[in-house]
Amino acid sequence: MFARIKKSVLTVVAPDIPALPDTSGTTRAHNRSLPDKFTYARPAFLQLLTYDELKASADHNVRPIIVPRDISILPWSTGYAECVNSGKSEWNEDQAAFCRQVLTHPSKQHPDLPYTYFGIFDGHAGYGAALAASHQFHHILHEKLVDVIDMLMPRQDTGPPKPDILPSPLAFQRSVSKDELIIGALESAFIEMDALLAEDRDKYRNAGGCTALVALFILGKMFVSNAGDSRSVLCQRMSNEVLKSHTSNISSNVPNSKDNSDSHESKWEDKKHMHIFPIPFSHDHTPDTERPRLMSTAKLNPSLMGGEYVAMEYAKRPAVKDLGQRILYRQGTMKGWAYKTLTRDDLKMPIVIGEGKRSRLMGTIGVTRGFGDHDLRAIGSGLPIKPFLSPHPEVNYRDLTKVISIPEENNEDGDYGILIMATDGLWDVIDTETVSKTVFTTLSKYPTEKHRYTMVAQELVAKSRGRINESGHWRLADSKAAATVDDISVIVIPVYQYYKEYLEWERKCKEDLEKKKSMPSPASFETSVTTNGTVSGDEEDERAEIAGDGYDADGETATTTTPCDTISSTTNDEEEGKATAEKEVTSTDPSSGT
Amino acid sequence: MSYAYLFKYIIIGDTGVGKSCLLLQFTDKRFQPVHDLTIGVEFGARMITIDGKQIKLQIWDTAGQEAFRSITRSYYRGAAGALLVYDITRRETFNHLTTWLEDARQHSNSNMVIMLIGNKSDLDSRREVKKEEGEAFAREHGLVFMETSARTAANVEEAFINTAKEIYEKIQEGVFDINNEANGIKIGQQHSPTNPSLPGAGNQGGSTSSGCC
């Protein structure tokens, strides 16, 4: 409370000086004099160019909803809106970024491979980590994708046939699909971004930490990777017919895809027998959801707890009077409960306390994955928390070429879905079902407008921000419930718009190949399917999906005629790929850190 | 640049009456004939001088479309001045003034200074609303009135500055509680008699941007 008063006084007295982000102050002393790595700003695509605009956008009393001034900057009419917190920190500590890039093979023998990335980063204990991630993550990701460029490139082999090497059944050798390479690029990029923040500690002011939610659109697929408690949901609206065929045929490794039927039950039917339902594309990483991982880490490294905590969960809060009695407990990755005799050790603070969004790790932090927090220490014990945190993302993806859409229905946005990426400011007060409904209700209000997805983003932010009442509390508009006082950021991606772009690119690739074929090229060879039973690249790709979601692979090797989606999977290539993959993990070149 | 006061303004009125153009003319001294639809809110700022004091105007330019109305309503809060704009060549924008005024009165603080502006005075040949009608409406509702042209810049400066003058007078009269930020007024460092040495003031990085007196 005092901090808040202090802040409001500060803004009155010295409104032109950016105040420091809110930090616990436990570890700050040593680097107080260090500079910021990046000057605080809002995402570049908002074009809030002057300090005055920045300041006005951070008005905690009004909490203006900011949308891009020029909506054509974001691809595919993607919508974006944000809103500052109600005063818990001077600045909006969320950040967002997007990047359109092209992977160009050095040999120039392949068509350029475009991709698009969106990222959303929710900062805590300062704005530095989120700001750095929004500036740097896409450079790191690009490097990681370039590392596997050979394997990702659409093939149109014109070179000499590769030597036929018989794969030895004895040799340890795994076939790696494109999907796995892209997932690996995302995973390793997350880890490197975190490492970069660690390196920067000596050079720049404490950056705090941030969550990271990233969507990557490449090769007709959508990959969503998440570390933290931002959330991504694909909002779909489908007719009965499409829905039926989808449940048997959808190709994705969406979390809980087994439970998709559940979400269908909670679907919402609007006119024309359309079903509206959300498909989660990420899971929150909180002390509660990550309890098994945190408890195992603690159990395996008791020194991390410094004798201050206990790595157990109890069915009932242990009390001194219960010493010597039996108590139900679980530890490590246990799912069930067992009895133990209560000892003095059990009276220590559990490493994870609380439930759901209110759960805390070491009584301090409520999010357990993301970037940064390298200097974060537990309240009370002062023990380092970082060993328990992880930058490792959960990656989910969907192959958009497998989506069923009936052209006559004109329901592409519903069939392909609208991908909502948002920080917890939204999800804390609105559930995914309501978000899905809001998406399609808003879209139907603006059937043709170019800014319709911006309107969705704005509507979602407006809903979760609510309105301020007489006594200065933010309340939801349609109920008396508390609205969020947190920063809110929402990205609204019309997935079909990407898919259209992908089809166009694929068509061009084919055309180019036809052109090349028609030119006399003695070395060209038609098929990339290797001998001796080694599968083609296409089948390999699908293998990963089968594992993910029981996609019914009917072995369509005919797709080898689609040059853009064919990779040659000779043993040579694979070895190359592996070597690169290994290099990736150890590569710490921070050259992207400008 | 340091200032004695910061006043927050809001510009409201139907879509297409020239709100964004008025702002651009005032802050950038230029006219943009084709302006994209404003979605949400845009900000502008300019320093003016009144009574020898530097006053910073922070101007919120809002979306005029009906669909944005509920969001716009939340921006009245914390505004010290409002420019209510209509288009003299479109009668309906004048007819909607009552609705706008009701909205403004309901959602703003009662001391907010409202300036009524009939814009596009350069298009006199296409005029649908007489100047006298604007004056009458303003008189009836206790507003200050002015016709402007964002294209020729006629009266644009005056509109913003006269509003500021009125706010300034109200401050002098003690009408505004200037310590309550929700009234749309902030005291700048030129004043700052209170609390010059806050704990944590040393935290302000290397920023020396705002001149200390």
Side-chain angles (χ1 to χ4, degrees):
Chain A
M1 198 57 207
F2 171 68
R4 214 168 136 179
I5 295 164
K6 189 180 95 184
K7 280 232 168 73
S8 57
V9 172
L10 259 180
T11 48
V12 172
V13 175
D16 272 351
I17 302 170
L20 276 177
D22 204 15
T23 54
S24 61
T26 45
T27 61
R28 305 278 317 228
H30 71 283
N31 63 7
R32 188 162 276 177
S33 55
L34 293 174
D36 272 336
K37 184 166 190 179
F38 297 97
T39 308
Y40 179 80
R42 296 314 303 150
F45 57 81
L46 290 178
Q47 297 175 299
L48 291 175
L49 302 175
T50 66
Y51 183 76
D52 287 319
E53 288 171 310
L54 207 57
K55 192 70 200 159
S57 75
D59 187 323
H60 299 290
N61 291 312
V62 178
R63 302 176 73 193
I65 298 165
I66 312 296
V67 298
R69 187 170 282 183
D70 176 359
I71 58 166
S72 60
I73 295 176
L74 291 173
W76 322 319
S77 302
T78 290
Y80 175 83
E82 64 168 45
C83 167
V84 73
N85 61 76
S86 70
K88 70 166 193 168
S89 60
E90 172 79 9
W91 295 110
N92 185 339
E93 292 181 350
D94 285 357
Q95 288 292 343
F98 84 99
C99 180
R100 304 264 270 168
Q101 263 289 5
V102 171
L103 292 167
T104 306
H105 197 273
S107 71
K108 308 275 180 211
Q109 297 238 333
H110 308 282
D112 285 348
L113 172 57
Y115 71 87
T116 302
Y117 137 93
F118 296 90
I120 209 158
F121 309 96
D122 180 352
H124 53 254
Y127 53 69
L131 196 58
S134 72
H135 276 90
Q136 295 181 284
F137 180 81
H138 52 280
H139 296 298
I140 298 173
L141 179 62
H142 189 71
E143 276 178 30
K144 299 301 179 192
L145 291 170
V146 166
D147 277 349
V148 291
I149 198 167
D150 280 328
M151 316 259 298
L152 293 183
M153 276 298 164
R155 289 280 151 162
Q156 28 182 296
D157 287 279
T158 48
K162 300 235 163 65
D164 287 338
I165 297 171
L166 293 176
S168 156
L170 295 173
F172 177 75
Q173 174 128 349
R174 289 192 53 173
S175 56
V176 173
S177 70
K178 285 188 195 182
D179 291 347
E180 288 172 301
L181 291 169
I182 294 166
I183 292 169
L186 282 161
E187 289 172 325
S188 54
F190 268 61
I191 288 155
E192 190 163 315
M193 183 67 230
D194 186 52
L196 187 57
L197 284 169
E199 280 174 40
D200 285 343
R201 277 188 299 170
D202 299 332
K203 286 174 269 173
Y204 303 102
R205 183 191 284 178
N206 187 324
C210 70
T211 71
L213 174 60
V214 163
L216 174 65
F217 293 82
I218 188 169
L219 287 166
K221 291 175 181 170
M222 168 174 88
F223 293 80
V224 177
S225 41
N226 176 51
D229 62 358
S230 293
R231 199 183 294 167
S232 174
V233 167
L234 186 71
C235 300
Q236 292 204 264
R237 176 179 182 269
M238 280 185 193
S239 65
N240 277 323
E241 298 82 68
V242 176
L243 192 58
K244 261 180 238 151
S245 39
H246 246 273
T247 32
S248 59
N249 213 359
I250 188 76
S251 162
S252 69
N253 73 332
V254 169
N256 284 349
S257 49
K258 297 187 286 297
D259 307 335
N260 263 359
S261 51
D262 290 349
S263 60
H264 291 173
E265 273 163 31
S266 64
K267 75 211 162 203
W268 183 69
E269 213 167 312
D270 71 352
K271 357 177 217 333
K272 292 193 292 181
H273 304 287
M274 298 296 252
H275 302 290
I276 293 177
F277 54 92
I279 295 179
F281 258 74
S282 70
H283 282 119
D284 303 352
H285 299 121
T286 65
D288 194 19
T289 64
E290 290 231 280
R291 211 181 275 266
R293 181 177 73 77
L294 301 171
M295 302 250 281
S296 319
T297 306
K299 188 161 182 281
L300 293 170
N301 311 280
S303 62
L304 294 178
M305 296 186 288
E308 303 268 348
Y309 303 89
V310 55
M312 294 215 192
E313 189 184 358
Y314 306 95
K316 165 188 165 209
R317 191 185 184 140
V320 180
K321 65 174 171 56
D322 298 329
L323 281 173
Q325 294 185 24
R326 295 204 311 163
I327 188 164
L328 280 172
Y329 82 100
R330 59 182 172 189
Q331 62 177 350
T333 53
M334 279 173 73
K335 287 205 171 82
W337 298 86
Y339 269 120
K340 77 177 294 260
T341 305
L342 194 68
T343 65
R344 287 240 159 242
D345 266 356
D346 295 312
L347 299 176
K348 290 175 182 165
M349 187 190 216
I351 196 90
V352 173
I353 50 164
E355 277 172 17
K357 279 293 288 183
R358 281 189 300 276
S359 62
R360 289 287 177 275
L361 169 62
M362 297 166 99
T364 304
I365 188 170
V367 60
T368 47
R369 294 205 205 180
F371 306 145
D373 287 321
H374 295 277
D375 294 312
L376 184 68
R377 284 172 184 274
I379 295 167
S381 68
L383 287 166
I385 292 184
K386 186 64 180 174
F388 290 98
L389 305 178
S390 166
H392 189 91
E394 168 203 22
V395 186
N396 295 295
Y397 66 95
R398 168 163 285 193
D399 185 346
L400 301 171
T401 62
K402 304 290 194 305
V403 170
I404 298 159
S405 184
I406 301 167
E408 295 77 50
E409 284 187 349
N410 283 323
N411 183 40
E412 286 83 3
D413 270 346
D415 292 330
Y416 287 84
I418 305 291
L419 187 72
I420 305 292
M421 301 167 70
T423 53
D424 59 348
L426 176 74
W427 307 110
D428 282 354
V429 291
I430 308 185
D431 60 48
T432 53
E433 272 82 17
T434 312
V435 166
S436 313
K437 284 180 215 167
T438 307
V439 166
F440 290 103
T441 328
T442 311
L443 287 181
S444 62
K445 269 191 223 160
Y446 305 91
T448 52
E449 283 83 347
K450 205 181 152 220
H451 59 271
R452 58 202 300 251
Y453 305 105
T454 310
M455 294 304 285
V456 172
Q458 185 165 257
E459 184 65 24
L460 290 172
V461 172
K463 265 196 168 178
S464 49
R465 184 204 61 176
R467 54 173 69 144
I468 193 162
N469 66 10
E470 296 299 316
S471 41
H473 296 113
W474 292 89
R475 293 280 179 263
L476 298 181
D478 44 6
S479 70
K480 292 260 164 64
T484 189
V485 293
D486 202 355
D487 301 315
I488 315 162
S489 308
V490 179
I491 302 182
V492 178
I493 304 171
V495 175
Y496 177 65
Q497 299 302 318
Y498 161 69
Y499 187 62
K500 266 202 318 204
E501 187 181 280
Y502 165 75
L503 289 180
E504 176 60 20
W505 172 80
E506 195 188 36
R507 192 186 56 77
K508 261 199 171 147
C509 287
K510 261 185 204 166
E511 263 179 28
D512 288 355
L513 183 70
E514 291 303 319
K515 257 186 236 159
K516 275 195 185 162
K517 267 188 185 162
S518 61
M519 286 190 296
S521 169
S524 75
F525 76 119
E526 296 287 307
T527 170
S528 64
V529 180
T530 52
T531 53
N532 296 308
T534 316
V535 291
S536 78
D538 282 281
E539 273 185 302
E540 255 188 272
D541 256 9
E542 271 145 26
R543 184 183 47 73
E545 291 152 17
I546 295 161
D549 192 83
Y551 165 67
D552 178 26
D554 44 7
E556 275 184 83
T557 41
T559 46
T560 41
T561 50
T562 310
C564 293
D565 207 19
T566 309
I567 61 167
S568 156
S569 64
T570 63
T571 47
N572 276 353
D573 259 10
E574 279 183 20
E575 267 163 15
E576 256 174 56
K578 256 200 223 151
T580 336
E582 273 160 26
K583 202 180 76 197
E584 266 171 38
V585 179
T586 49
S587 161
T588 51
D589 176 22
S591 58
S592 59
T594 45
Chain B
M1 274 285 271
S2 62
Y3 53 79
Y5 293 105
L6 182 146
F7 296 166
K8 189 182 136 185
Y9 279 16
I10 179 170
I11 312 182
I12 51 174
D14 274 11
T15 186
V17 297
K19 297 183 292 299
S20 300
C21 292
L22 282 168
L23 174 62
L24 197 65
Q25 183 58 259
F26 180 66
T27 56
D28 282 28
K29 297 195 192 311
R30 64 193 171 93
F31 179 70
Q32 200 177 331
V34 184
H35 197 282
D36 282 343
L37 180 73
T38 305
I39 307 170
V41 60
E42 298 211 1
F43 309 110
R46 210 187 108 182
M47 202 73 90
I48 58 169
T49 310
I50 291 175
D51 196 16
K53 293 214 163 60
Q54 294 275 48
I55 291 175
K56 186 170 208 161
L57 301 183
Q58 184 195 78
I59 304 145
W60 295 41
D61 169 30
T62 63
Q65 282 200 323
E66 181 64 33
F68 298 89
R69 197 65 71 85
S70 74
I71 287 170
T72 305
R73 278 191 195 112
S74 65
Y75 301 146
Y76 290 113
R77 189 185 146 81
L83 304 189
L84 172 53
V85 188
Y86 68 93
D87 177 352
I88 63 153
T89 70
R90 279 159 61 218
R91 164 71 56 182
E92 78 269 17
T93 67
F94 181 76
N95 293 343
H96 293 155
L97 287 178
T98 324
T99 325
W100 281 110
L101 202 56
E102 274 168 18
D103 250 17
R105 291 258 154 88
Q106 190 184 339
H107 297 279
S108 67
N109 76 71
S110 52
N111 292 317
M112 183 169 80
V113 173
I114 303 174
M115 162 81 74
L116 180 65
I117 289 177
N119 192 34
K120 310 197 187 176
S121 63
D122 52 303
L123 300 176
D124 203 48
S125 57
R126 283 161 48 193
R127 180 188 283 274
E128 286 184 9
V129 183
K130 286 196 213 104
K131 192 174 179 186
E132 293 73 30
E133 292 177 88
E135 283 167 348
F137 186 93
R139 223 176 10 252
E140 188 185 336
H141 294 93
L143 316 175
V144 189
F145 175 68
M146 206 166 254
E147 280 196 350
T148 62
S149 165
R151 183 193 297 269
T152 66
N155 272 345
V156 172
E157 291 271 306
E158 290 80 353
F160 284 88
I161 290 171
N162 289 357
T163 309
K165 277 184 184 153
E166 196 153 330
I167 296 168
Y168 185 76
E169 277 164 25
K170 281 194 173 187
I171 293 173
Q172 303 301 310
E173 292 162 12
V175 175
F176 271 118
D177 174 11
I178 50 175
N179 291 313
N180 184 354
E181 230 182 276
N183 281 333
I185 297 164
K186 281 185 200 168
I187 310 173
Q189 288 200 308
Q190 279 186 355
H191 264 277
S192 78
T194 52
N195 237 349
S197 57
L198 274 173
N203 284 0
Q204 306 298 335
S207 171
T208 51
S209 61
S210 66
C212 222
C213 47

